[in-house]
């Protein structure tokens, strides 16, 4: 898998490639990618923030739980603006936590904590912010999924091949936990 979208921006991008520039992006007009049944829109990332954080939205229909994963160096924020998601997280002592987050609710997952989420209502949108020491993973979405100019979720689910999962795992601060089981009840 190539990393052609890891630093250069698509010609239609409204997110500047140069750091140190104030900019504005209208709703939905960031760098977009389809992944599973969702539309991911990146508004700020490594290039704009000197690798300190990223800011993105994920929106989509009610669906399946995303694969459980962990970030060794990344803290992740979930803020629901529309609909609902169910956030699953495990603390460093192995305690599992689950919470239904609805519009206006916030969830935080520290680094090294396994986590996953599931969109619980159609037309849900969650704002994500990820930060860590010199790492961001916003280009993960378009490398695992597919860049798109569309403004909505994919017509058909985009499920990555095992090779794409492995390549994304190696290139970004993510490790999948395929045998992890959630025992929180939902």
């Amino acid at each position: 898998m190539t990393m052609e979208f890891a630093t250069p921006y698509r010609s239609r991008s409204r997110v500047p490639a140069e750091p140190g520039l104030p900019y504005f992006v209208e709703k939905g007009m960031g760098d977009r990618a389809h992944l599973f049944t969702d539309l991911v829109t990146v508004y700020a990332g490594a290039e704009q923030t000197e690798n300190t954080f990223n800011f993105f939205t994920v929106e989509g229909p009610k669906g399946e739980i995303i694969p459980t994963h962990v970030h060794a160096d990344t803290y992740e924020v979930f803020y629901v603006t529309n609909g609902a998601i169910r956030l699953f997280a495990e603390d460093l002592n192995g305690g599992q936590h689950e919470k239904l987050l609805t519009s206006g609710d916030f969830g935080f997952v520290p680094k090294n904590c396994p986590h996953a989420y599931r969109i619980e209502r159609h037309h849900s949108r969650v704002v994500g912010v990820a930060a860590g020491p010199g790492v961001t993973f916003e280009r993960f979405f378009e490398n695992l999924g597919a860049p798109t100019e569309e403004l909505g979720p994919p017509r058909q689910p985009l499920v990555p091949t095992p090779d794409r999962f492995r390549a994304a795992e190696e290139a970004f601060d993510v490790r999948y936990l395929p045998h992890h089981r959630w025992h929180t009840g939902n």
Side-chain angles (χ1 to χ4, degrees):
M1 177 169 83
T2 65
M3 299 297 288
E4 69 247 25
F5 297 105
T7 52
Y9 283 82
R10 293 184 293 283
S11 62
R12 295 185 183 170
S13 178
R14 290 172 174 80
V15 179
E18 306 82 23
L21 296 176
Y23 65 96
F24 306 93
V25 179
E26 294 175 6
K27 178 183 175 184
M29 299 310 291
D31 294 339
R32 297 178 298 280
H34 285 154
L35 181 57
F36 302 114
T37 58
D38 303 334
L39 172 67
V40 179
T41 306
V42 174
Y43 293 91
E47 295 91 349
Q48 298 76 38
T49 68
E50 299 180 43
N51 290 314
T52 57
F53 74 94
N54 59 34
F55 183 97
F56 58 93
T57 61
V58 177
E59 57 188 287
K62 182 177 179 177
E64 301 296 320
I65 193 169
I66 65 154
T68 300
H69 60 283
V70 64
H71 308 288
D73 292 314
T74 304
Y75 299 85
E76 197 165 358
V77 165
F78 298 80
Y79 181 78
V80 178
T81 60
N82 294 24
I85 69 163
R86 185 171 303 279
L87 181 59
F88 301 87
E90 186 172 293
D91 62 40
L92 296 175
N93 297 318
Q96 293 190 355
H97 309 271
E98 171 191 332
K99 179 71 175 169
L100 179 67
L101 303 174
T102 60
S103 185
D105 289 344
F106 172 91
F108 174 75
V109 178
K111 68 180 183 177
N112 292 311
C113 291
H115 59 285
Y117 70 88
R118 179 176 63 223
I119 294 179
E120 296 287 354
R121 295 184 192 147
H122 290 303
H123 311 291
S124 290
R125 181 181 301 121
V126 61
V127 171
V129 176
V135 65
T136 66
F137 65 81
E138 71 280 353
R139 299 300 168 202
F140 162 85
F141 303 111
E142 59 194 17
N143 280 276
L144 183 59
T148 185
E149 295 300 324
E150 294 182 33
L151 293 173
R155 292 174 192 39
Q156 297 293 322
L158 195 154
V159 179
T161 64
D163 288 344
R164 286 183 76 104
F165 271 108
R166 278 190 293 281
E169 188 172 41
E170 291 174 15
F172 301 96
D173 182 27
V174 62
R175 182 171 49 92
Y176 304 106
L177 305 171
H179 303 295
H180 191 278
R181 297 293 173 255
W182 294 103
H183 305 288
T184 54
N186 287 306

